[in-house]
Amino acid sequence: DVKVTQSSRYLVKRTGEKVFLECVQDMDHENMFWYRQDPGLGLRLIYFSYDVKMKEKGDIPEGYSVSREKKERFSLILESASTNQTSMYLCASSPPFKRQETQYFGPGTRLLVL
Amino acid sequence: GESVGLHLPTLSVQEGDNSIINCAYSNSASDYFIWYKQESGKGPQFIIDIRSNMDKRQGQRVTVLLNKTVKHLSLQIAATQPGDSAVYFCAENIGGSQGNLIFGKGTKLSVKP
């Protein structure tokens, strides 16, 4: 079974803090993704990576950065957390796009920024 | 409670009935489609997929139908159970070199015992 794990289920941070969200997958997938999920807006892509040290902006990258130093690990960084970044953050991974396979999601991290 | 289900269309069915959840997709070039189930407090879980060269695909208690003419996707759940209560959303892959998924907003399925 594919397993995608996220470092925290719940996080509470203060405005201005630097926040790290970690994601690890055990299926040797090339692609990894970070989304945020908000009521009424669905899933929105923040960043994705199709290889180690490679990253691409998604639809809403502002205020975020990412790091992929190892194939299995994809980190999302909030350089200076703001209250509008309170959200559910979901990590996903998938095989190469040409294989036309689904994305597998982690359990999510619910972040509250005060 | 979890907020992912707010502002979503809701389908309420009786336990044992069949459920049909619909999705209109946006891009006629999309060639791969997925249905996900998201239970409260959890990440989305893959249910079933279908490629554009097919009209129908069946899984265990679930069937996906694809109508490319009207860009419509549906998920049928047979003999709906309380454990099926969740938010269901579709995703389309427009293909190409990146092949990112575009997700629908979702439908909340509520199963009455």
Side-chain angles (χ1 to χ4, degrees):
Chain A
D1 274 354
V2 175
K3 191 153 187 190
V4 181
T5 57
Q6 295 183 229
S7 51
S8 305
R9 293 300 307 275
Y10 300 94
L11 272 180
V12 180
K13 296 292 181 181
R14 298 207 172 273
T15 301
E17 279 193 81
K18 190 169 186 176
V19 182
F20 292 87
L21 302 182
E22 305 285 342
C23 175
V24 177
Q25 50 95 3
D26 67 357
M27 281 301 293
D28 202 35
H29 284 167
E30 282 75 7
N31 301 326
M32 296 189 75
F33 308 81
W34 274 107
Y35 296 89
R36 61 178 286 176
Q37 185 177 36
D38 301 287
L41 298 177
L43 283 162
R44 293 182 292 168
L45 181 64
I46 304 171
Y47 267 97
F48 67 100
S49 168
Y50 53 88
D51 202 351
V52 175
K53 296 195 185 294
M54 304 301 290
K55 60 183 180 184
E56 294 283 344
K57 293 180 179 179
D59 300 319
I60 51 163
E62 296 78 18
Y64 303 94
S65 62
V66 290
S67 172
R68 189 145 180 224
E69 296 297 318
K70 293 184 178 181
K71 190 175 185 180
E72 67 271 19
R73 188 180 296 271
F74 193 35
S75 303
L76 180 69
I77 304 152
L78 286 65
E79 296 289 343
S80 178
S82 62
T83 54
N84 63 10
Q85 292 179 309
T86 290
S87 187
M88 169 74 120
Y89 289 88
L90 289 161
C91 175
S93 74
S94 77
F97 292 123
K98 62 185 178 183
R99 283 178 50 184
Q100 210 177 40
E101 290 192 31
T102 190
Q103 294 179 18
Y104 297 90
F105 285 85
T109 296
R110 187 162 290 280
L111 173 66
L112 172 63
V113 182
L114 300 173
Chain B
E2 293 300 324
S3 58
V4 69
L6 291 178
H7 314 300
L8 292 176
T10 298
L11 175 65
S12 186
V13 300
Q14 203 70 38
E15 181 178 359
D17 287 353
N18 297 334
S19 304
I20 299 176
I21 300 170
N22 297 304
C23 178
Y25 64 91
S26 57
N27 196 317
S28 56
S30 293
D31 59 2
Y32 176 61
F33 305 88
I34 307 157
W35 278 102
Y36 287 96
K37 171 186 180 183
Q38 187 173 22
E39 296 175 272
S40 182
K42 297 183 179 180
Q45 178 186 3
F46 169 83
I47 303 173
I48 192 168
D49 59 2
I50 188 168
R51 287 176 170 71
S52 58
N53 59 353
M54 303 171 70
D55 298 322
K56 178 179 179 179
R57 190 165 188 220
Q58 286 185 290
Q60 188 177 13
R61 277 202 311 120
V62 295
T63 300
V64 55
L65 298 177
L66 175 62
N67 185 330
K68 295 181 286 292
T69 303
V70 295
K71 294 191 287 185
H72 184 266
L73 198 63
S74 69
L75 177 70
Q76 301 178 0
I77 304 173
T80 313
Q81 302 167 1
D84 295 327
S85 293
V87 173
Y88 291 82
F89 53 91
C90 63
E92 61 183 298
N93 182 336
I94 62 171
S97 60
Q98 295 195 347
N100 285 349
L101 296 179
I102 300 172
F103 294 90
K105 298 287 193 296
T107 296
K108 185 174 183 179
L109 177 65
S110 178
V111 182
K112 295 175 286 186

